Amino acid sequence: MTVDYHTHTNYSDGSVPMSMIRAAEEAGLDGIGFADHCVVTTDEWLQTVKRAWGFNLDATYERRREGLAALRDHADVRLFDAVEMDYKPRDESEVAVFLDDAGFDYAVGSVHELDGTNVHNEGHFVDKSDAERERLVDAYFDDLVALVESELFDVAAHLDLVERNEALRGLATESQYRRVAAALEASSTVPELNAGRVRDDDGEIHPVPGFMDVLLEYDVEFVLGSDAHEPEDIDPCVAALEKFVATHGVPTTELSL
Ligand SMILES: [Zn+2]
Ligand SMILES: [Zn+2]
């Protein structure tokens, strides 16, 4: 059974569900999970992103759920009704209440915000001193460990999102990797092997091989996520994930759904 647990539809910044379903069928998947962006934290910058990008699945998930129910009769893959939630430690109770109410098939948790902006935002970090960038990477991993320890989510997304930003890339340390790995070993939250970066020029899987070597020392299994926003991303991303699993001997698992 191969499931892609992390894709996006036009209920956030992805493509219409039917096009993603057809692409999942063509890629030979057994299941596809729609994990649209959703912000319920009170963080000011995330609230701005929510309004600007329409990351408001909290307002629309029931409509999407009805749509997926109708599409199930026309799909040769299993469809999962999921969510990618932005996580900030101070907003755990808001996230918990929302997830309890909404009753998704599963929830993916993500740290996207760092120093009041997106972790991807190269311009924001490029002029900072080495010491400051190292401090910020540490702050990113603090939030990630808190996410894993919160037990709010079934899946922890793109563990080393800082690697997607050239200004932050390569600054993570082995002790940060070990903190995350130990937290995952003790948590029911499963990490994701994420292909959101493989089609970029500097294409790599999250987590990078050095991080994966550390994770493999711990009792941790992974699920696969293409993080596809367009149907044409699904097949090459899933192929890259499967190749990485085979090359690095990554233990994989499935969520019980
Ligand atoms: Zn994400
Ligand atoms: Zn995503």
Side-chain angles (χ1 to χ4, degrees):
M1 169 120 166
T2 307
V3 177
D4 179 350
Y5 286 97
H6 187 161
T7 70
H8 294 275
T9 77
N10 60 338
Y11 280 81
S12 59
D13 53 351
S15 304
V16 291
M18 201 62 210
S19 68
M20 301 300 276
I21 293 167
R22 289 289 172 257
E25 291 167 349
E26 281 162 25
L29 290 171
D30 301 297
I32 179 169
F34 299 114
D36 280 307
H37 290 286
C38 185
V39 178
V40 300
T41 83
T42 53
D43 180 274
E44 199 178 317
W45 176 79
L46 285 169
Q47 281 295 326
T48 305
V49 169
K50 174 178 183 165
R51 291 186 200 101
W53 288 74
F55 286 177
N56 51 5
L57 195 68
D58 53 320
T60 62
Y61 72 90
E62 285 167 320
R63 215 169 298 162
R64 196 190 64 171
R65 188 167 293 166
E66 287 167 18
L68 294 183
L71 290 174
R72 279 198 177 90
D73 290 341
H74 306 278
D76 293 330
V77 288
R78 287 185 72 190
L79 309 183
F80 299 111
D81 174 20
V83 63
E84 180 178 11
M85 298 289 300
D86 274 273
Y87 173 82
K88 292 299 288 177
R90 74 178 189 207
D91 296 310
E92 285 184 4
S93 54
E94 281 87 345
V95 172
V97 167
F98 170 68
L99 288 176
D100 258 8
D101 276 0
F104 292 103
D105 291 335
Y106 61 90
V108 177
S110 296
V111 177
H112 291 128
E113 185 273 344
L114 182 61
D115 200 32
T117 187
N118 194 301
V119 176
H120 299 186
N121 182 350
E122 212 168 298
H124 178 85
F125 298 100
V126 73
D127 293 328
K128 295 190 185 294
S129 70
D130 289 356
E132 181 63 0
R133 284 182 288 134
E134 282 166 13
R135 187 190 69 76
L136 288 165
V137 167
D138 205 50
Y140 168 84
F141 282 105
D142 283 345
D143 280 1
L144 178 62
V145 168
L147 181 157
V148 172
E149 289 178 342
S150 77
E151 304 270 358
L152 284 168
F153 306 101
D154 302 282
V155 177
H158 40 58
L159 297 181
D160 50 1
L161 195 65
V162 285
E163 295 295 326
R164 217 176 284 192
N165 186 330
E166 204 179 326
L168 302 174
R169 192 172 300 152
L171 297 178
T173 64
E174 186 178 326
S175 79
Q176 287 157 355
Y177 292 162
R178 289 197 184 278
R179 285 172 58 211
V180 176
L184 284 166
E185 194 175 61
S187 172
S188 60
T189 300
V190 178
E192 166 198 55
L193 206 58
N194 177 291
R197 207 180 132 203
V198 294
R199 301 196 83 198
D200 297 350
D201 294 342
D202 57 359
E204 264 199 294
I205 299 269
H206 299 283
V208 295
F211 192 176
M212 182 53 80
D213 288 344
V214 170
L215 287 157
L216 289 173
E217 293 177 30
Y218 293 75
D219 184 15
V220 173
E221 294 178 315
F222 291 77
V223 293
L224 305 184
S226 68
D227 213 344
H229 291 70
E230 311 293 335
E232 56 269 28
D233 290 337
I234 292 180
D235 186 54
C237 288
V238 169
L241 290 165
E242 287 179 332
K243 187 177 168 201
F244 190 93
V245 166
T247 311
H248 295 266
V250 179
T252 58
T253 186
E254 303 294 345
L255 303 180
S256 40
L257 299 168

PDB file of all heavy atoms in Angstrom, residues 40-60:
ATOM      1  N   VAL A  40      -5.212  28.398  12.670  1.00  0.00           N
ATOM      2  CA  VAL A  40      -6.102  28.846  13.744  1.00  0.00           C
ATOM      3  C   VAL A  40      -5.311  29.530  14.858  1.00  0.00           C
ATOM      4  O   VAL A  40      -5.887  29.956  15.846  1.00  0.00           O
ATOM      5  CB  VAL A  40      -6.965  27.698  14.343  1.00  0.00           C
ATOM      6  CG1 VAL A  40      -7.850  27.075  13.283  1.00  0.00           C
ATOM      7  CG2 VAL A  40      -6.112  26.641  15.020  1.00  0.00           C
ATOM      8  N   THR A  41      -3.988  29.631  14.692  1.00  0.00           N
ATOM      9  CA  THR A  41      -3.192  30.291  15.727  1.00  0.00           C
ATOM     10  C   THR A  41      -3.433  31.797  15.674  1.00  0.00           C
ATOM     11  O   THR A  41      -3.876  32.339  14.657  1.00  0.00           O
ATOM     12  CB  THR A  41      -1.680  30.040  15.583  1.00  0.00           C
ATOM     13  OG1 THR A  41      -1.152  30.960  14.640  1.00  0.00           O
ATOM     14  CG2 THR A  41      -1.372  28.630  15.159  1.00  0.00           C
ATOM     15  N   THR A  42      -3.115  32.458  16.782  1.00  0.00           N
ATOM     16  CA  THR A  42      -3.333  33.902  16.868  1.00  0.00           C
ATOM     17  C   THR A  42      -2.112  34.689  16.392  1.00  0.00           C
ATOM     18  O   THR A  42      -2.141  35.910  16.375  1.00  0.00           O
ATOM     19  CB  THR A  42      -3.622  34.294  18.328  1.00  0.00           C
ATOM     20  OG1 THR A  42      -2.567  33.766  19.154  1.00  0.00           O
ATOM     21  CG2 THR A  42      -4.946  33.708  18.788  1.00  0.00           C
ATOM     22  N   ASP A  43      -1.053  33.986  15.978  1.00  0.00           N
ATOM     23  CA  ASP A  43       0.157  34.658  15.503  1.00  0.00           C
ATOM     24  C   ASP A  43      -0.203  35.677  14.414  1.00  0.00           C
ATOM     25  O   ASP A  43      -0.891  35.347  13.446  1.00  0.00           O
ATOM     26  CB  ASP A  43       1.118  33.598  14.944  1.00  0.00           C
ATOM     27  CG  ASP A  43       2.400  34.204  14.421  1.00  0.00           C
ATOM     28  OD1 ASP A  43       2.431  34.621  13.241  1.00  0.00           O
ATOM     29  OD2 ASP A  43       3.357  34.283  15.198  1.00  0.00           O
ATOM     30  N   GLU A  44       0.279  36.905  14.597  1.00  0.00           N
ATOM     31  CA  GLU A  44      -0.147  38.001  13.721  1.00  0.00           C
ATOM     32  C   GLU A  44       0.238  37.770  12.258  1.00  0.00           C
ATOM     33  O   GLU A  44      -0.560  37.965  11.342  1.00  0.00           O
ATOM     34  CB  GLU A  44       0.496  39.296  14.221  1.00  0.00           C
ATOM     35  CG  GLU A  44      -0.175  40.546  13.719  1.00  0.00           C
ATOM     36  CD  GLU A  44       0.505  41.785  14.297  1.00  0.00           C
ATOM     37  OE1 GLU A  44       0.825  41.783  15.514  1.00  0.00           O
ATOM     38  OE2 GLU A  44       0.723  42.721  13.531  1.00  0.00           O
ATOM     39  N   TRP A  45       1.501  37.333  12.044  1.00  0.00           N
ATOM     40  CA  TRP A  45       1.951  37.103  10.662  1.00  0.00           C
ATOM     41  C   TRP A  45       1.164  35.954  10.027  1.00  0.00           C
ATOM     42  O   TRP A  45       0.752  36.039   8.871  1.00  0.00           O
ATOM     43  CB  TRP A  45       3.459  36.803  10.647  1.00  0.00           C
ATOM     44  CG  TRP A  45       3.935  36.473   9.266  1.00  0.00           C
ATOM     45  CD1 TRP A  45       4.207  37.355   8.264  1.00  0.00           C
ATOM     46  CD2 TRP A  45       4.136  35.165   8.722  1.00  0.00           C
ATOM     47  NE1 TRP A  45       4.572  36.672   7.131  1.00  0.00           N
ATOM     48  CE2 TRP A  45       4.539  35.328   7.378  1.00  0.00           C
ATOM     49  CE3 TRP A  45       4.020  33.867   9.224  1.00  0.00           C
ATOM     50  CZ2 TRP A  45       4.835  34.254   6.547  1.00  0.00           C
ATOM     51  CZ3 TRP A  45       4.307  32.789   8.396  1.00  0.00           C
ATOM     52  CH2 TRP A  45       4.714  32.986   7.087  1.00  0.00           C
ATOM     53  N   LEU A  46       0.913  34.871  10.788  1.00  0.00           N
ATOM     54  CA  LEU A  46       0.157  33.753  10.232  1.00  0.00           C
ATOM     55  C   LEU A  46      -1.278  34.156   9.922  1.00  0.00           C
ATOM     56  O   LEU A  46      -1.863  33.701   8.927  1.00  0.00           O
ATOM     57  CB  LEU A  46       0.185  32.555  11.191  1.00  0.00           C
ATOM     58  CG  LEU A  46       1.519  31.794  11.228  1.00  0.00           C
ATOM     59  CD1 LEU A  46       1.549  30.808  12.394  1.00  0.00           C
ATOM     60  CD2 LEU A  46       1.768  31.056   9.916  1.00  0.00           C
ATOM     61  N   GLN A  47      -1.843  35.043  10.738  1.00  0.00           N
ATOM     62  CA  GLN A  47      -3.194  35.529  10.442  1.00  0.00           C
ATOM     63  C   GLN A  47      -3.209  36.342   9.138  1.00  0.00           C
ATOM     64  O   GLN A  47      -4.169  36.265   8.364  1.00  0.00           O
ATOM     65  CB  GLN A  47      -3.725  36.367  11.607  1.00  0.00           C
ATOM     66  CG  GLN A  47      -4.233  35.520  12.784  1.00  0.00           C
ATOM     67  CD  GLN A  47      -5.453  34.688  12.412  1.00  0.00           C
ATOM     68  OE1 GLN A  47      -6.299  35.094  11.623  1.00  0.00           O
ATOM     69  NE2 GLN A  47      -5.533  33.480  12.959  1.00  0.00           N
ATOM     70  N   THR A  48      -2.135  37.109   8.893  1.00  0.00           N
ATOM     71  CA  THR A  48      -2.037  37.857   7.640  1.00  0.00           C
ATOM     72  C   THR A  48      -1.948  36.898   6.455  1.00  0.00           C
ATOM     73  O   THR A  48      -2.627  37.077   5.433  1.00  0.00           O
ATOM     74  CB  THR A  48      -0.792  38.781   7.666  1.00  0.00           C
ATOM     75  OG1 THR A  48      -0.887  39.592   8.839  1.00  0.00           O
ATOM     76  CG2 THR A  48      -0.712  39.662   6.442  1.00  0.00           C
ATOM     77  N   VAL A  49      -1.107  35.867   6.592  1.00  0.00           N
ATOM     78  CA  VAL A  49      -0.985  34.848   5.535  1.00  0.00           C
ATOM     79  C   VAL A  49      -2.338  34.185   5.290  1.00  0.00           C
ATOM     80  O   VAL A  49      -2.747  33.964   4.147  1.00  0.00           O
ATOM     81  CB  VAL A  49       0.063  33.783   5.936  1.00  0.00           C
ATOM     82  CG1 VAL A  49       0.015  32.585   5.009  1.00  0.00           C
ATOM     83  CG2 VAL A  49       1.457  34.399   5.955  1.00  0.00           C
ATOM     84  N   LYS A  50      -3.024  33.883   6.374  1.00  0.00           N
ATOM     85  CA  LYS A  50      -4.326  33.215   6.265  1.00  0.00           C
ATOM     86  C   LYS A  50      -5.269  34.029   5.377  1.00  0.00           C
ATOM     87  O   LYS A  50      -5.915  33.496   4.474  1.00  0.00           O
ATOM     88  CB  LYS A  50      -4.922  33.050   7.666  1.00  0.00           C
ATOM     89  CG  LYS A  50      -6.335  32.494   7.669  1.00  0.00           C
ATOM     90  CD  LYS A  50      -6.825  32.327   9.095  1.00  0.00           C
ATOM     91  CE  LYS A  50      -8.208  31.689   9.099  1.00  0.00           C
ATOM     92  NZ  LYS A  50      -8.565  31.184  10.422  1.00  0.00           N
ATOM     93  N   ARG A  51      -5.324  35.349   5.624  1.00  0.00           N
ATOM     94  CA  ARG A  51      -6.236  36.197   4.840  1.00  0.00           C
ATOM     95  C   ARG A  51      -5.739  36.355   3.413  1.00  0.00           C
ATOM     96  O   ARG A  51      -6.514  36.316   2.463  1.00  0.00           O
ATOM     97  CB  ARG A  51      -6.372  37.570   5.500  1.00  0.00           C
ATOM     98  CG  ARG A  51      -7.124  37.492   6.800  1.00  0.00           C
ATOM     99  CD  ARG A  51      -7.394  38.866   7.392  1.00  0.00           C
ATOM    100  NE  ARG A  51      -7.670  38.721   8.812  1.00  0.00           N
ATOM    101  CZ  ARG A  51      -6.796  38.958   9.775  1.00  0.00           C
ATOM    102  NH1 ARG A  51      -5.587  39.398   9.496  1.00  0.00           N
ATOM    103  NH2 ARG A  51      -7.120  38.779  11.028  1.00  0.00           N
ATOM    104  N   ALA A  52      -4.422  36.547   3.238  1.00  0.00           N
ATOM    105  CA  ALA A  52      -3.876  36.828   1.909  1.00  0.00           C
ATOM    106  C   ALA A  52      -3.938  35.598   0.997  1.00  0.00           C
ATOM    107  O   ALA A  52      -4.178  35.723  -0.201  1.00  0.00           O
ATOM    108  CB  ALA A  52      -2.436  37.310   2.038  1.00  0.00           C
ATOM    109  N   TRP A  53      -3.710  34.414   1.548  1.00  0.00           N
ATOM    110  CA  TRP A  53      -3.609  33.195   0.730  1.00  0.00           C
ATOM    111  C   TRP A  53      -4.854  32.329   0.808  1.00  0.00           C
ATOM    112  O   TRP A  53      -4.961  31.343   0.083  1.00  0.00           O
ATOM    113  CB  TRP A  53      -2.400  32.369   1.172  1.00  0.00           C
ATOM    114  CG  TRP A  53      -1.087  32.970   0.790  1.00  0.00           C
ATOM    115  CD1 TRP A  53      -0.490  34.052   1.365  1.00  0.00           C
ATOM    116  CD2 TRP A  53      -0.208  32.534  -0.250  1.00  0.00           C
ATOM    117  NE1 TRP A  53       0.708  34.305   0.739  1.00  0.00           N
ATOM    118  CE2 TRP A  53       0.910  33.395  -0.248  1.00  0.00           C
ATOM    119  CE3 TRP A  53      -0.254  31.486  -1.177  1.00  0.00           C
ATOM    120  CZ2 TRP A  53       1.967  33.245  -1.138  1.00  0.00           C
ATOM    121  CZ3 TRP A  53       0.809  31.344  -2.062  1.00  0.00           C
ATOM    122  CH2 TRP A  53       1.895  32.213  -2.041  1.00  0.00           C
ATOM    123  N   GLY A  54      -5.769  32.662   1.714  1.00  0.00           N
ATOM    124  CA  GLY A  54      -6.957  31.824   1.864  1.00  0.00           C
ATOM    125  C   GLY A  54      -6.652  30.503   2.542  1.00  0.00           C
ATOM    126  O   GLY A  54      -7.195  29.470   2.165  1.00  0.00           O
ATOM    127  N   PHE A  55      -5.754  30.535   3.560  1.00  0.00           N
ATOM    128  CA  PHE A  55      -5.423  29.305   4.290  1.00  0.00           C
ATOM    129  C   PHE A  55      -6.446  29.097   5.400  1.00  0.00           C
ATOM    130  O   PHE A  55      -6.119  29.067   6.585  1.00  0.00           O
ATOM    131  CB  PHE A  55      -4.010  29.393   4.859  1.00  0.00           C
ATOM    132  CG  PHE A  55      -2.919  29.248   3.823  1.00  0.00           C
ATOM    133  CD1 PHE A  55      -1.581  29.379   4.190  1.00  0.00           C
ATOM    134  CD2 PHE A  55      -3.204  28.966   2.493  1.00  0.00           C
ATOM    135  CE1 PHE A  55      -0.560  29.237   3.252  1.00  0.00           C
ATOM    136  CE2 PHE A  55      -2.198  28.830   1.547  1.00  0.00           C
ATOM    137  CZ  PHE A  55      -0.871  28.962   1.924  1.00  0.00           C
ATOM    138  N   ASN A  56      -7.718  28.993   4.978  1.00  0.00           N
ATOM    139  CA  ASN A  56      -8.805  29.009   5.964  1.00  0.00           C
ATOM    140  C   ASN A  56      -9.673  27.764   5.885  1.00  0.00           C
ATOM    141  O   ASN A  56     -10.894  27.847   5.841  1.00  0.00           O
ATOM    142  CB  ASN A  56      -9.650  30.272   5.767  1.00  0.00           C
ATOM    143  CG  ASN A  56     -10.095  30.445   4.331  1.00  0.00           C
ATOM    144  OD1 ASN A  56      -9.846  29.567   3.494  1.00  0.00           O
ATOM    145  ND2 ASN A  56     -10.747  31.532   4.030  1.00  0.00           N
ATOM    146  N   LEU A  57      -9.027  26.614   5.867  1.00  0.00           N
ATOM    147  CA  LEU A  57      -9.789  25.365   5.829  1.00  0.00           C
ATOM    148  C   LEU A  57     -10.701  25.242   7.049  1.00  0.00           C
ATOM    149  O   LEU A  57     -11.703  24.528   6.993  1.00  0.00           O
ATOM    150  CB  LEU A  57      -8.840  24.153   5.746  1.00  0.00           C
ATOM    151  CG  LEU A  57      -9.506  22.837   5.337  1.00  0.00           C
ATOM    152  CD1 LEU A  57      -9.983  22.865   3.893  1.00  0.00           C
ATOM    153  CD2 LEU A  57      -8.587  21.644   5.583  1.00  0.00           C
ATOM    154  N   ASP A  58     -10.388  25.963   8.121  1.00  0.00           N
ATOM    155  CA  ASP A  58     -11.283  25.940   9.290  1.00  0.00           C
ATOM    156  C   ASP A  58     -12.670  26.442   8.920  1.00  0.00           C
ATOM    157  O   ASP A  58     -13.658  26.030   9.512  1.00  0.00           O
ATOM    158  CB  ASP A  58     -10.695  26.759  10.461  1.00  0.00           C
ATOM    159  CG  ASP A  58     -10.321  28.174  10.058  1.00  0.00           C
ATOM    160  OD1 ASP A  58      -9.796  28.367   8.944  1.00  0.00           O
ATOM    161  OD2 ASP A  58     -10.549  29.102  10.861  1.00  0.00           O
ATOM    162  N   ALA A  59     -12.752  27.325   7.909  1.00  0.00           N
ATOM    163  CA  ALA A  59     -14.053  27.850   7.471  1.00  0.00           C
ATOM    164  C   ALA A  59     -14.684  27.015   6.362  1.00  0.00           C
ATOM    165  O   ALA A  59     -15.880  27.123   6.114  1.00  0.00           O
ATOM    166  CB  ALA A  59     -13.895  29.301   6.999  1.00  0.00           C
ATOM    167  N   THR A  60     -13.883  26.188   5.671  1.00  0.00           N
ATOM    168  CA  THR A  60     -14.389  25.532   4.450  1.00  0.00           C
ATOM    169  C   THR A  60     -14.321  24.006   4.469  1.00  0.00           C
ATOM    170  O   THR A  60     -14.702  23.370   3.493  1.00  0.00           O
ATOM    171  CB  THR A  60     -13.605  26.023   3.215  1.00  0.00           C
ATOM    172  OG1 THR A  60     -12.221  25.663   3.377  1.00  0.00           O
ATOM    173  CG2 THR A  60     -13.732  27.520   3.015  1.00  0.00           C
TER     174      THR A  60
END
